[in-house]
Amino acid sequence: MTEQTDAGTGGPVSAGDSGAKRAATLTVVGLLFVFAAFIILYRAERTNNRQWIAKKAERVDPAAPGAGARMVKFTGVPGGTFLDDADSGRRFVYLRRSRYEFRRGADAAAAPDWQYASGSTERAKEVRIGAVGIRLDEAEIIGGGAWSTTVYKNGREAAPRIGDVKISLSGIPAELPLFCAGYFSNGYLGAGDLFVVSSFSEGKTMDELAETWVWRWLRHPVCFALMLVGLLLLGGPAMRTMKRHEEMPVVRSLARIGWPAYGALSLACAFLLVRFSPVTVDLIWLILALVIGVPIAITVRSVRSHRGA
């Protein structure tokens, strides 16, 4: 039987030293898994959650928005210099135009049909709501098709002829109230963590900002698996150390639960932390402090106790 030796001292490696190193390795790997799960959840629920950012923005009166750079939101009817459209005779804040021609396509034998010819998207340059200037060129437009129509230039909708032209228009008319959320600074609303201009109501805009269920249901199983594996890996060193310190009343009670109960507890904790992540991510630093601090303290105490013995 080959005896293991310490690479630094050349002396034999005891079973206790090997167990301590294994416990330290499991602790580090377990912490990495738990930390990765929390980082994914935190970025999804706070850093990249547009709906949450909009809800947390300060509601202001655009006529008197106050001073100081910050995230704000408000609703109001815009004013300023709008887009004048000659085909519809209306003014717009935002306008999409598509031009179609009635002609034959690439297949000359096919019957003529409406073929896309050109298109453009325009945004008004100078728009204000109350005392707040809106930099529309930086904004994400929601509800850009609030109004739409089709204009037939030659007046033949029912029986078009080759050469006829139609214009498809959609946009946000100037008279519609807009819900805006963005970073307010120096009298202007511009890009920050979020900048949206919407023709919808605030409630409907919030629905539009919500993440898709596909991303949420892909993210949750991954984070649950990372969290569960991390907690189980941390359980090995924790259970081992508790058995060595059963003289302490609290440790004695915890040591008795055994692996089946610890596994069930880990499963429940992982499920609750991930399932209710919109709430639990606000406790991320406290939870990480406990998850990181307690195992490290237990492992350090175990190593010192072993070396002292």
Side-chain angles (χ1 to χ4, degrees), residues 178-193:
L178 301 176
F179 170 74
C180 304
Y183 189 75
F184 176 75
S185 177
N186 297 322
Y188 281 88
L189 198 67
D193 293 334

Side-chain angles (χ1 to χ4, degrees), residues 209-230:
L209 291 174
E211 66 179 354
T212 63
W213 66 269
V214 175
W215 166 231
R216 178 173 290 274
W217 285 106
L218 285 176
R219 180 180 73 244
H220 279 185
V222 171
C223 290
F224 173 75
L226 288 172
M227 188 78 67
L228 180 59
V229 171

